Amino acid sequence: MSRTIRLDEERARRLKRSFQSIARAVRQQGDGVGDAPSRSVKPTAWMIYAHADQVAAAGLIGRLRGDGIAATWDRDLPPGVPYDLHIESSIRTCDKAVVLWSEHAMASRFVHDEATLALELEKLVPVHLADFRPSMLTMRFRRLQSISVENYPVLVGTLRGRTAGGT
C-alpha cells in the first residue's frame, strides 16, 4: 500500500508541474488584447460550472480570454487523463476560480466539491446566471457576494485584482 501511495503522490506532483507549465504557456499566449497595462502576466482563472450550463460557461470563457484573462476549464484538459486530479491541480494553481451558479450547479456535487476547494483556498469568485437567485445557495456559499454575469466589468476587475470601491 505504501508503494501505491508513493506512486499516487509522484503522479500528483507530475500533474501539478504539468499544469503549472500549461498555465505559464496560456499566460504567454495571445496578442495582448485587453491586458492591463501595468501587468506583464495575465491573471489565470479556472471555470467551475454544471455541464448543463456549458453554453453559458463557454461564452464567459471566450469573453474573458478576449479581455486578457487566461481562463481555462475542463474542456481544455487532454482526453484520457484523470480529470479529478487535473481539476484539483488547476484550482490549486490558478489565481481565481470562477463558479457559475445556476439551478443545475446547485444540484451538482462536482460543482460543490470544486467550489468548496476554491473557497478553502480563498480563490472563489461566485458568479450567477441572470435568472438565478443567490439566496438559493447553501449557507457556505451564500455568505459570499455573488455577481450576475450581466455585471461582467466587475468580474473582470475582480480577476485582475481590482475591487469596486477600493475594498
Side-chain angles (χ1 to χ4, degrees):
M1 179 161 163
S2 81
R3 177 177 162 85
T4 303
I5 291 171
R6 281 193 304 252
L7 289 174
D8 287 343
E9 289 173 351
E10 179 58 34
R11 185 181 339 157
R13 281 192 289 276
R14 283 194 314 266
L15 288 172
K16 182 178 180 181
R17 285 191 302 269
S18 172
F19 268 93
Q20 288 171 333
S21 173
I22 291 169
R24 280 191 300 275
V26 167
R27 285 192 297 260
Q28 292 170 358
Q29 283 180 0
D31 55 7
V33 174
D35 283 344
S38 63
R39 190 169 175 126
S40 61
V41 176
K42 293 180 183 181
T44 60
W46 177 261
M47 178 66 67
I48 301 168
Y49 69 101
H51 282 274
D53 300 320
Q54 182 174 341
V55 172
L60 192 54
I61 287 280
R63 199 166 170 196
L64 288 170
R65 287 175 177 170
D67 284 331
I69 306 292
T72 56
W73 60 335
D74 61 343
R75 299 295 177 204
D76 293 325
L77 300 178
V81 298
Y83 271 45
D84 55 344
L85 295 176
H86 281 286
I87 290 171
E88 181 174 349
S89 177
S90 296
I91 293 170
R92 289 185 182 283
T93 59
C94 70
D95 295 322
K96 298 287 184 184
V98 176
V99 62
L100 184 60
W101 287 119
S102 69
E103 289 188 32
H104 300 291
M106 280 290 303
S108 169
R109 69 180 174 88
F110 298 109
V111 170
H112 278 261
D113 288 348
E114 293 169 31
T116 297
L117 175 60
L119 178 66
E120 290 169 354
L121 296 171
E122 299 180 358
K123 295 181 176 195
L124 190 65
V125 178
V127 176
H128 61 272
L129 294 178
D131 61 349
F132 180 76
R133 291 188 340 261
S135 61
M136 295 173 52
L137 291 168
T138 60
M139 186 184 316
R140 173 186 307 162
F141 300 112
R142 195 172 50 235
R143 66 186 174 94
L144 297 176
Q145 179 68 30
S146 178
I147 59 170
S148 171
V149 293
E150 295 174 333
N151 202 351
Y152 179 77
V154 172
L155 173 60
V156 171
T158 300
L159 296 177
R160 288 189 175 141
R162 297 187 301 261
T163 57
T167 58

